[in-house]
Amino acid sequence: MRSVLIGVFDGVHLGHQQLIQRAADFGDPIAITFFPHPTSVFAPQTTPTQLLSLEDRMHFLLQAGVKEVIIKDFTKEFAALTPDQFIENILKNEVKATHVTVGENFTFGVKASGNSQYLQANSGIPTTIVSLQENRGNTISSTRIRGLIIDGDVDRAKELLSRPHRLRGTVVHGEKRGRTIGYPTANIAVESWATIPADGVYAGWLEVDGVRWQSAISIGTNPTFPGVRGRQIEAYAINQKDLELYDKTAIVEFGFRLRDTLKFNSLEELLVQMKLDCEKAISLTSS
């Protein structure tokens, strides 16, 4: 059986996981996903940030029960396929689907002219349409989760994702001030499409080379110190002093929001608060 589910699956959130579970009723699930994001081709000015890199999207799809991931290059030519061409060329000839599972809001084909009902009625392939899952009265969606993260509500985002939101990037050289004050941080450079939480201090985890540490994470411009700088993502692996992480790939996971970014009157005030932040981060991420 070739049980196929189709979507962008950004975030692989609870709604996507429900789709995977339903597809598994009809065989080992095979996910068709797209890269880059479809809107980057037909409406680039409205392209949203992304919740996951393609690598992480594939990882979490497999972790959720998908047996195979097929990545379709979303080009202008691909976007120009009619619904019937998509059905014949992709679902029947290429993937040889014996069953298809899609969400009720699924659209496909040139200018999104096909939808889930069209697929069910005209494909000749048994098709299951899954109602969108809700949480606290609102639909679970990548758009909703993205908004929560941008607002700094990583706790709610974690609930809808079923895991902490993560950023993946390279550890780069920063101002190295953290080393001098006893809190050496890893400065993470992320891709322009990454969904970055609001400025503030968070409790979470830093992972490099498969090693994961409890972490206090700061996002912002470090207003306590003089000078003008852009937003920075800095993760302090709590109680780790001699880590050499430069140029390595790091994953930062956001578990809990601790506080807003504050401008302190002195370094001493900042250090007192940082100690409190780390103690609370340890408490929250130990459970």
Side-chain angles (χ1 to χ4, degrees):
M1 298 289 288
R2 302 280 289 175
S3 178
V4 173
L5 59 154
I6 314 169
V8 176
F9 303 120
D10 188 24
V12 194
H13 53 61
L14 286 175
H16 297 143
Q17 293 169 36
Q18 180 188 44
L19 205 67
I20 294 167
Q21 292 166 8
R22 190 66 187 277
D25 293 337
F26 307 97
D28 289 341
I30 301 167
I32 298 178
T33 190
F34 310 103
F35 187 84
H37 196 286
T39 57
S40 68
V41 173
F42 58 77
Q45 70 279 5
T46 64
T47 302
T49 58
Q50 295 177 42
L51 299 174
L52 291 174
S53 67
L54 181 61
E55 177 184 354
D56 285 334
R57 194 194 318 173
M58 293 175 64
H59 168 76
F60 286 117
L61 282 168
L62 294 169
Q63 188 179 78
V66 166
K67 300 304 180 184
E68 180 184 350
V69 180
I70 297 173
I71 302 165
K72 300 301 299 180
D73 292 331
F74 203 91
T75 62
K76 289 183 178 179
E77 293 73 22
F78 184 84
L81 292 175
T82 66
D84 289 340
Q85 287 173 327
F86 180 87
I87 291 167
E88 289 297 321
N89 297 353
I90 308 300
L91 295 181
K92 291 184 176 180
N93 296 336
E94 181 179 334
V95 183
K96 296 177 171 54
T98 59
H99 189 278
V100 177
T101 303
V102 292
E104 62 182 333
N105 63 340
F106 174 68
T107 59
F108 67 106
V110 60
K111 297 183 180 179
S113 53
N115 57 24
S116 55
Q117 289 77 22
Y118 185 92
L119 182 65
Q120 188 177 59
N122 297 281
S123 67
I125 305 170
T127 299
T128 296
I129 299 173
V130 179
S131 299
L132 301 182
Q133 189 173 350
E134 292 190 352
N135 173 278
R136 304 192 190 187
N138 291 300
T139 299
I140 299 173
S141 70
S142 301
T143 300
R144 179 184 174 192
I145 295 169
R146 193 177 296 115
L148 289 170
I149 293 167
I150 291 171
D151 288 343
D153 195 349
V154 298
D155 303 63
R156 287 290 305 281
K158 179 176 58 179
E159 179 182 339
L160 303 186
L161 287 167
S162 76
R163 63 179 184 279
H165 174 57
R166 62 163 51 184
L167 294 175
R168 178 187 292 267
T170 303
V171 180
V172 298
H173 291 273
E175 298 177 26
K176 297 183 173 62
R177 185 180 291 109
R179 291 179 179 272
T180 66
I181 63 175
Y183 292 91
T185 60
N187 285 54
I188 315 299
V190 299
E191 298 289 349
S192 58
W193 45 256
T195 302
I196 302 172
D199 287 4
V201 178
Y202 299 84
W205 299 267
L206 171 66
E207 180 178 327
V208 179
D209 290 340
V211 182
R212 193 167 182 254
W213 302 280
Q214 292 171 294
S215 182
I217 307 156
S218 171
I219 296 179
T221 59
N222 293 330
T224 297
F225 299 100
V228 178
R229 57 187 65 83
R231 293 182 80 203
Q232 297 175 316
I233 303 166
E234 300 177 88
Y236 167 54
I238 298 172
N239 297 327
Q240 304 297 316
K241 302 296 183 184
D242 299 314
L243 299 176
E244 289 296 333
L245 305 179
Y246 292 122
D247 299 322
K248 294 188 175 183
T249 298
I251 296 171
V252 180
E253 294 183 326
F254 297 84
F256 309 87
R257 183 175 175 87
L258 298 180
R259 61 175 175 85
D260 293 343
T261 297
L262 302 173
K263 182 176 182 180
F264 295 90
N265 294 320
S266 67
L267 175 60
E268 289 71 23
E269 285 186 16
L270 172 62
L271 290 174
V272 168
Q273 184 60 56
M274 290 177 71
K275 183 175 185 294
L276 294 174
D277 292 339
C278 289
E279 290 173 351
K280 190 169 183 180
I282 290 174
S283 174
L284 288 171
T285 59
S286 294
S287 57

